[in-house]
Amino acid sequence: LFDYLLSFYFFFFLMIRRPPRSTLFPYTTLFRSPSDKVLDVGCGSATTIVNLLKKIPMQELVYGIEPTDAQFELAKKNIAAAGFVGKVNLKQSFAAPLPFEDNFFDVVYASFIIKHFSDDSVAKFFQEAYRVLRPGGRFLGWEFARVTSGFFRFLAKDPKKAMQNWRNFTDIKTFLEKSDFINISEFKVINRGFWDPVEDVGFKAVKR
């Protein structure tokens, strides 16, 4: 029920022309170099990949992985529609283990997938992100942190259970430190105002 309500809420945002979350991510600040080799973990419909390529003329292929059949097929369609077929390498895979060799990427990025992971799964994913990053590579993430709308909490049948894997920056930082990341910091994401029912958390970290 909670996921259904969340989907309805975000559909409502689109109807009243609220900016999509993917457009609020500070791409040009965090993806600093067009020469970076980037991996989007759990890329979904490839919205972030498409936005990144529209904002920055990436010189390397952008990689994306997505485990679900429906989203993987939708990602391929969206990339083709945007004219970026030759600029993206999509693989159907889970976040752990990642199907890449060690020290392969300059940036690993994940948006709104960590909430689906148990503590053990988060630990394994962060270790994999560390493994595939080159020394000095950056790990970026964006996730729901907490529900700020009392009305939305009221509608959810069992919000505590639905949000049991939602984590704030302090929680995420603990996992990052255990995976040996350094220079861990939080970045702020623009909130879409009164009608936005949740608060987001953004993080960045560096491989030693």
Side-chain angles (χ1 to χ4, degrees), residues 93-104:
S93 171
F94 290 96
L98 291 171
F100 304 100
E101 62 190 48
D102 297 357
N103 307 315
F104 191 70

Side-chain angles (χ1 to χ4, degrees), residues 142-163:
W142 187 10
E143 190 52 86
F144 295 141
R146 67 188 182 97
V147 172
T148 55
S149 166
F151 176 69
F152 196 73
R153 285 195 299 269
F154 173 77
L155 287 177
K157 182 178 180 181
D158 193 354
K160 290 184 178 179
K161 182 178 180 181
M163 295 180 289

Side-chain angles (χ1 to χ4, degrees), residues 45-207:
S45 60
T47 302
T48 300
I49 292 176
V50 170
N51 284 333
L52 172 62
L53 289 170
K54 285 181 177 180
K55 292 177 180 294
I56 302 176
M58 303 302 292
Q59 298 167 6
E60 298 279 350
L61 282 173
V62 176
Y63 291 74
I65 64 167
E66 169 58 40
T68 66
D69 293 338
Q71 289 287 78
F72 183 72
E73 292 302 318
L74 181 58
K76 291 193 292 186
K77 291 179 181 178
N78 288 342
I79 288 167
F84 293 138
V85 171
K87 296 180 179 296
V88 182
N89 185 326
L90 286 179
K91 294 180 181 291
Q92 192 164 10
S93 171
F94 290 96
L98 291 171
F100 304 100
E101 62 190 48
D102 297 357
N103 307 315
F104 191 70
F105 293 103
D106 298 293
V107 178
V108 172
Y109 169 76
S111 60
F112 303 111
I113 66 167
I114 298 171
K115 66 180 178 294
H116 299 302
F117 295 167
S118 66
D119 286 353
D120 287 345
S121 295
V122 171
K124 290 176 182 177
F125 168 43
F126 282 14
Q127 290 164 7
E128 279 293 284
Y130 191 91
R131 178 184 66 79
V132 300
L133 279 168
R134 295 167 177 163
R138 305 185 304 284
F139 183 29
L140 311 175
W142 187 10
E143 190 52 86
F144 295 141
R146 67 188 182 97
V147 172
T148 55
S149 166
F151 176 69
F152 196 73
R153 285 195 299 269
F154 173 77
L155 287 177
K157 182 178 180 181
D158 193 354
K160 290 184 178 179
K161 182 178 180 181
M163 295 180 289
Q164 63 184 346
N165 289 328
W166 288 30
R167 301 171 177 91
N168 59 30
F169 175 71
T170 301
D171 299 328
I172 293 171
K173 184 179 180 182
T174 299
F175 286 102
L176 291 168
E177 289 173 337
K178 289 180 178 178
S179 298
D180 214 24
F181 282 101
I182 59 173
N183 299 338
I184 302 165
S185 60
E186 181 178 8
F187 66 83
K188 298 296 183 181
V189 180
I190 300 172
N191 187 276
R192 294 181 295 180
F194 173 78
W195 289 102
D196 203 333
V198 298
E199 180 181 282
D200 300 344
V201 58
F203 67 86
K204 52 184 176 180
V206 177
K207 179 175 179 175

